[in-house]
Amino acid sequence: MSDRTVRAPLSPLAAAWTLALLLGLQPLTTDLVLPALPAMGSDLQAPVAPVQLTMSALILAFGLAQLVWGPVADRFGRRPVLLAGLGLYTLASAGAALGGDITQVIGWRIVQGAALSVPVVCARAMLRDLYQPHEGALVMARALSGLGVIAIASPLSGGLLVAASGWRATLVAMGVIGLLLWALIAWRLPETLRSRDPAATRLGPLLAQAGRILGHPTFRAWSLLVACTYAGLFVFLAGSGFILIRVLGLAPLQAGLVMCTTSLAYITGTFFCRRWLPRHGLVGTVLRGSGFSIASALGMAVLASTDHRAVWAVMLPTWLYALGHGVHQPCGQAGAVGPFPRSAGLAAALAGCVLALAAFGIGLWLGHALDGTLRPLAIGIGSGAAGAVLVVWTLVRRHGDPARVAV
């Protein structure tokens, strides 16, 4: 199949919107339920730790399942795998909405996380199917701007749904959106994989290629950056509902409105990314974006030491963090798969697994660390910011050029 035949159906703008919708299912699945977590715990008579596990278990399943779906997408193509994954996601959302206790909800959220990995890993692989790394980073930045719009709407919508119909309505909404996205993919999305790899799911070649990817310094640099920056964000995702509602005393709708402002900062960060990329490249862009991360780390250190209980004191360093995340994330996702045009699905899956393992560990810690103060949130986000800065100025600065030998 020719390169032109594959690329013609998707213009850069159409590709950006398609990627935004696929990637946007991830913040929808995490952010929509944020204002619902305290109500879920109260209704199901569950303590904080297992309620937090509905987030952490989802993220762990999301990461590990990518190791399956990535090679499968390289073997059978992006489109059929997307349809299967979105169908499973819709079913799991319905199951979680009907859960009678916290254990059932956790179980269905695990299935939902495994299904959620499909659109995310396929979207990242499609980016490499269609574009070279630097061009792909620009398209990814546009897509993540669109994703930011979804992230803005999700906590606000979640607060409205909880206020109107209770926490289960947020899970019902996820199922409806999953079904609509399935219909859109079935109707409009062409296959982007130029040639399927029959050996992609064979254990021997799969392990050999995974070893080559994991051993590649460019992959390690960018995937660790993505893991660090997402880990800090996950602290906010998993902890903000409890902090804003139980510690700072906001109503669910008010908390949803405050959470939306983080997505606005994130979108602004993606615009900085798009402005810097043509002039400074991937590495130069994240070096500049790390200034936001440094400022956030300093702000979170002050918050941890003072425990100053005001919304602005929590959100100011969080906005700075989101600005840096909006720069680091599109560059990191494009950079991690850049050297692997023939194994983009597997590379995206491995990068996603690294991200999810970091977030899962953070989530387990947070579920036990939340103590009625602001310190756990500040320590977690500040650590993510400091980790991102360290990776940018060491590994990414030294090995971040995706033009290194492709595998």
Side-chain angles (χ1 to χ4, degrees), residues 31-39 154-159 162 170 241 245 252-253 255-256 259:
D31 295 15
L32 193 68
V33 80
L34 296 181
L37 293 179
S154 294
L156 176 59
S157 301
V162 172
T170 61
I245 294 172
L253 181 56
M259 293 172 194

PDB file of all heavy atoms in Angstrom, residues 31-39 154-159 162 170 241 245 252-253 255-256 259:
ATOM      1  N   ASP A  31     -11.268  12.459  34.780  1.00  0.00           N
ATOM      2  CA  ASP A  31     -11.710  13.754  35.296  1.00  0.00           C
ATOM      3  C   ASP A  31     -13.207  13.827  35.559  1.00  0.00           C
ATOM      4  O   ASP A  31     -13.640  14.528  36.477  1.00  0.00           O
ATOM      5  CB  ASP A  31     -11.332  14.874  34.320  1.00  0.00           C
ATOM      6  CG  ASP A  31      -9.834  15.048  34.171  1.00  0.00           C
ATOM      7  OD1 ASP A  31      -9.090  14.147  34.586  1.00  0.00           O
ATOM      8  OD2 ASP A  31      -9.405  16.068  33.620  1.00  0.00           O
ATOM      9  N   LEU A  32     -14.009  13.137  34.741  1.00  0.00           N
ATOM     10  CA  LEU A  32     -15.456  13.216  34.909  1.00  0.00           C
ATOM     11  C   LEU A  32     -15.888  12.705  36.281  1.00  0.00           C
ATOM     12  O   LEU A  32     -16.851  13.201  36.870  1.00  0.00           O
ATOM     13  CB  LEU A  32     -16.156  12.423  33.801  1.00  0.00           C
ATOM     14  CG  LEU A  32     -17.662  12.636  33.639  1.00  0.00           C
ATOM     15  CD1 LEU A  32     -17.947  14.046  33.146  1.00  0.00           C
ATOM     16  CD2 LEU A  32     -18.249  11.616  32.670  1.00  0.00           C
ATOM     17  N   VAL A  33     -15.169  11.730  36.801  1.00  0.00           N
ATOM     18  CA  VAL A  33     -15.559  11.101  38.056  1.00  0.00           C
ATOM     19  C   VAL A  33     -14.967  11.810  39.278  1.00  0.00           C
ATOM     20  O   VAL A  33     -15.346  11.504  40.417  1.00  0.00           O
ATOM     21  CB  VAL A  33     -15.143   9.609  38.038  1.00  0.00           C
ATOM     22  CG1 VAL A  33     -13.657   9.439  38.356  1.00  0.00           C
ATOM     23  CG2 VAL A  33     -15.980   8.775  39.001  1.00  0.00           C
ATOM     24  N   LEU A  34     -14.074  12.785  39.073  1.00  0.00           N
ATOM     25  CA  LEU A  34     -13.400  13.412  40.214  1.00  0.00           C
ATOM     26  C   LEU A  34     -14.364  14.006  41.236  1.00  0.00           C
ATOM     27  O   LEU A  34     -14.236  13.740  42.439  1.00  0.00           O
ATOM     28  CB  LEU A  34     -12.412  14.480  39.727  1.00  0.00           C
ATOM     29  CG  LEU A  34     -11.238  13.990  38.882  1.00  0.00           C
ATOM     30  CD1 LEU A  34     -10.347  15.162  38.500  1.00  0.00           C
ATOM     31  CD2 LEU A  34     -10.443  12.925  39.614  1.00  0.00           C
ATOM     32  N   PRO A  35     -15.339  14.827  40.807  1.00  0.00           N
ATOM     33  CA  PRO A  35     -16.259  15.374  41.814  1.00  0.00           C
ATOM     34  C   PRO A  35     -17.177  14.311  42.424  1.00  0.00           C
ATOM     35  O   PRO A  35     -17.852  14.594  43.422  1.00  0.00           O
ATOM     36  CB  PRO A  35     -17.085  16.398  41.015  1.00  0.00           C
ATOM     37  CG  PRO A  35     -16.313  16.660  39.772  1.00  0.00           C
ATOM     38  CD  PRO A  35     -15.607  15.374  39.473  1.00  0.00           C
ATOM     39  N   ALA A  36     -17.206  13.113  41.841  1.00  0.00           N
ATOM     40  CA  ALA A  36     -18.096  12.055  42.322  1.00  0.00           C
ATOM     41  C   ALA A  36     -17.457  11.171  43.389  1.00  0.00           C
ATOM     42  O   ALA A  36     -18.163  10.411  44.063  1.00  0.00           O
ATOM     43  CB  ALA A  36     -18.554  11.181  41.147  1.00  0.00           C
ATOM     44  N   LEU A  37     -16.141  11.226  43.545  1.00  0.00           N
ATOM     45  CA  LEU A  37     -15.473  10.286  44.440  1.00  0.00           C
ATOM     46  C   LEU A  37     -15.936  10.397  45.899  1.00  0.00           C
ATOM     47  O   LEU A  37     -16.214   9.369  46.539  1.00  0.00           O
ATOM     48  CB  LEU A  37     -13.953  10.459  44.338  1.00  0.00           C
ATOM     49  CG  LEU A  37     -13.327  10.058  43.001  1.00  0.00           C
ATOM     50  CD1 LEU A  37     -11.821  10.307  43.019  1.00  0.00           C
ATOM     51  CD2 LEU A  37     -13.613   8.602  42.673  1.00  0.00           C
ATOM     52  N   PRO A  38     -16.032  11.604  46.481  1.00  0.00           N
ATOM     53  CA  PRO A  38     -16.545  11.657  47.860  1.00  0.00           C
ATOM     54  C   PRO A  38     -17.957  11.095  47.990  1.00  0.00           C
ATOM     55  O   PRO A  38     -18.266  10.376  48.948  1.00  0.00           O
ATOM     56  CB  PRO A  38     -16.488  13.153  48.195  1.00  0.00           C
ATOM     57  CG  PRO A  38     -15.417  13.701  47.314  1.00  0.00           C
ATOM     58  CD  PRO A  38     -15.559  12.925  46.023  1.00  0.00           C
ATOM     59  N   ALA A  39     -18.839  11.406  47.031  1.00  0.00           N
ATOM     60  CA  ALA A  39     -20.206  10.891  47.073  1.00  0.00           C
ATOM     61  C   ALA A  39     -20.222   9.376  46.902  1.00  0.00           C
ATOM     62  O   ALA A  39     -21.023   8.672  47.535  1.00  0.00           O
ATOM     63  CB  ALA A  39     -21.056  11.555  45.989  1.00  0.00           C
ATOM     64  N   SER A 154     -14.874  18.080  31.472  1.00  0.00           N
ATOM     65  CA  SER A 154     -15.132  16.850  32.229  1.00  0.00           C
ATOM     66  C   SER A 154     -15.433  17.084  33.711  1.00  0.00           C
ATOM     67  O   SER A 154     -16.475  16.630  34.208  1.00  0.00           O
ATOM     68  CB  SER A 154     -13.961  15.877  32.058  1.00  0.00           C
ATOM     69  OG  SER A 154     -13.873  15.436  30.730  1.00  0.00           O
ATOM     70  N   PRO A 155     -14.569  17.762  34.494  1.00  0.00           N
ATOM     71  CA  PRO A 155     -14.904  17.930  35.907  1.00  0.00           C
ATOM     72  C   PRO A 155     -16.127  18.797  36.129  1.00  0.00           C
ATOM     73  O   PRO A 155     -16.918  18.547  37.059  1.00  0.00           O
ATOM     74  CB  PRO A 155     -13.641  18.563  36.507  1.00  0.00           C
ATOM     75  CG  PRO A 155     -12.912  19.152  35.363  1.00  0.00           C
ATOM     76  CD  PRO A 155     -13.246  18.295  34.175  1.00  0.00           C
ATOM     77  N   LEU A 156     -16.315  19.825  35.271  1.00  0.00           N
ATOM     78  CA  LEU A 156     -17.517  20.650  35.399  1.00  0.00           C
ATOM     79  C   LEU A 156     -18.762  19.820  35.125  1.00  0.00           C
ATOM     80  O   LEU A 156     -19.744  19.877  35.873  1.00  0.00           O
ATOM     81  CB  LEU A 156     -17.440  21.827  34.430  1.00  0.00           C
ATOM     82  CG  LEU A 156     -18.670  22.743  34.380  1.00  0.00           C
ATOM     83  CD1 LEU A 156     -18.955  23.338  35.756  1.00  0.00           C
ATOM     84  CD2 LEU A 156     -18.472  23.843  33.348  1.00  0.00           C
ATOM     85  N   SER A 157     -18.720  19.025  34.059  1.00  0.00           N
ATOM     86  CA  SER A 157     -19.849  18.147  33.744  1.00  0.00           C
ATOM     87  C   SER A 157     -20.069  17.128  34.854  1.00  0.00           C
ATOM     88  O   SER A 157     -21.209  16.810  35.211  1.00  0.00           O
ATOM     89  CB  SER A 157     -19.612  17.433  32.419  1.00  0.00           C
ATOM     90  OG  SER A 157     -19.450  18.355  31.365  1.00  0.00           O
ATOM     91  N   GLY A 158     -18.955  16.608  35.400  1.00  0.00           N
ATOM     92  CA  GLY A 158     -19.079  15.663  36.499  1.00  0.00           C
ATOM     93  C   GLY A 158     -19.758  16.282  37.705  1.00  0.00           C
ATOM     94  O   GLY A 158     -20.624  15.661  38.340  1.00  0.00           O
ATOM     95  N   GLY A 159     -19.387  17.532  38.036  1.00  0.00           N
ATOM     96  CA  GLY A 159     -20.036  18.210  39.157  1.00  0.00           C
ATOM     97  C   GLY A 159     -21.526  18.403  38.923  1.00  0.00           C
ATOM     98  O   GLY A 159     -22.350  18.210  39.827  1.00  0.00           O
ATOM     99  N   VAL A 162     -23.264  14.917  39.228  1.00  0.00           N
ATOM    100  CA  VAL A 162     -23.367  14.478  40.632  1.00  0.00           C
ATOM    101  C   VAL A 162     -24.472  15.260  41.334  1.00  0.00           C
ATOM    102  O   VAL A 162     -25.285  14.691  42.077  1.00  0.00           O
ATOM    103  CB  VAL A 162     -22.023  14.654  41.353  1.00  0.00           C
ATOM    104  CG1 VAL A 162     -22.181  14.381  42.845  1.00  0.00           C
ATOM    105  CG2 VAL A 162     -20.984  13.717  40.772  1.00  0.00           C
ATOM    106  N   THR A 170     -22.088   9.825  36.274  1.00  0.00           N
ATOM    107  CA  THR A 170     -20.827  10.093  35.593  1.00  0.00           C
ATOM    108  C   THR A 170     -20.366   8.872  34.804  1.00  0.00           C
ATOM    109  O   THR A 170     -19.824   8.991  33.698  1.00  0.00           O
ATOM    110  CB  THR A 170     -19.735  10.508  36.595  1.00  0.00           C
ATOM    111  OG1 THR A 170     -19.500   9.456  37.540  1.00  0.00           O
ATOM    112  CG2 THR A 170     -20.145  11.771  37.348  1.00  0.00           C
ATOM    113  N   GLY A 241     -10.458  16.069  44.305  1.00  0.00           N
ATOM    114  CA  GLY A 241     -11.831  15.996  44.789  1.00  0.00           C
ATOM    115  C   GLY A 241     -11.894  16.030  46.305  1.00  0.00           C
ATOM    116  O   GLY A 241     -12.696  16.760  46.903  1.00  0.00           O
ATOM    117  N   ILE A 245     -13.131  19.488  48.181  1.00  0.00           N
ATOM    118  CA  ILE A 245     -14.454  19.313  48.790  1.00  0.00           C
ATOM    119  C   ILE A 245     -14.349  19.110  50.298  1.00  0.00           C
ATOM    120  O   ILE A 245     -15.026  19.783  51.086  1.00  0.00           O
ATOM    121  CB  ILE A 245     -15.193  18.139  48.121  1.00  0.00           C
ATOM    122  CG1 ILE A 245     -15.498  18.491  46.660  1.00  0.00           C
ATOM    123  CG2 ILE A 245     -16.484  17.810  48.869  1.00  0.00           C
ATOM    124  CD1 ILE A 245     -16.047  17.332  45.840  1.00  0.00           C
ATOM    125  N   PRO A 252     -19.505  20.148  45.225  1.00  0.00           N
ATOM    126  CA  PRO A 252     -19.019  19.428  44.035  1.00  0.00           C
ATOM    127  C   PRO A 252     -18.980  20.269  42.773  1.00  0.00           C
ATOM    128  O   PRO A 252     -18.022  20.198  41.995  1.00  0.00           O
ATOM    129  CB  PRO A 252     -20.008  18.261  43.912  1.00  0.00           C
ATOM    130  CG  PRO A 252     -20.448  18.004  45.315  1.00  0.00           C
ATOM    131  CD  PRO A 252     -20.524  19.366  45.958  1.00  0.00           C
ATOM    132  N   LEU A 253     -20.022  21.103  42.544  1.00  0.00           N
ATOM    133  CA  LEU A 253     -20.021  21.933  41.350  1.00  0.00           C
ATOM    134  C   LEU A 253     -18.923  22.989  41.414  1.00  0.00           C
ATOM    135  O   LEU A 253     -18.240  23.255  40.417  1.00  0.00           O
ATOM    136  CB  LEU A 253     -21.387  22.597  41.171  1.00  0.00           C
ATOM    137  CG  LEU A 253     -21.540  23.484  39.927  1.00  0.00           C
ATOM    138  CD1 LEU A 253     -21.214  22.707  38.652  1.00  0.00           C
ATOM    139  CD2 LEU A 253     -22.953  24.067  39.856  1.00  0.00           C
ATOM    140  N   ALA A 255     -16.122  22.697  43.055  1.00  0.00           N
ATOM    141  CA  ALA A 255     -14.865  21.975  42.858  1.00  0.00           C
ATOM    142  C   ALA A 255     -14.640  21.682  41.383  1.00  0.00           C
ATOM    143  O   ALA A 255     -13.510  21.802  40.876  1.00  0.00           O
ATOM    144  CB  ALA A 255     -14.875  20.672  43.672  1.00  0.00           C
ATOM    145  N   GLY A 256     -15.702  21.299  40.675  1.00  0.00           N
ATOM    146  CA  GLY A 256     -15.577  21.046  39.243  1.00  0.00           C
ATOM    147  C   GLY A 256     -15.140  22.281  38.480  1.00  0.00           C
ATOM    148  O   GLY A 256     -14.307  22.204  37.573  1.00  0.00           O
ATOM    149  N   MET A 259     -11.425  22.803  39.121  1.00  0.00           N
ATOM    150  CA  MET A 259     -10.637  21.825  38.370  1.00  0.00           C
ATOM    151  C   MET A 259     -10.511  22.219  36.898  1.00  0.00           C
ATOM    152  O   MET A 259      -9.482  21.977  36.263  1.00  0.00           O
ATOM    153  CB  MET A 259     -11.274  20.444  38.485  1.00  0.00           C
ATOM    154  CG  MET A 259     -11.238  19.836  39.873  1.00  0.00           C
ATOM    155  SD  MET A 259     -12.228  18.316  39.945  1.00  0.00           S
ATOM    156  CE  MET A 259     -12.346  18.065  41.715  1.00  0.00           C
TER     157      MET A 259
END
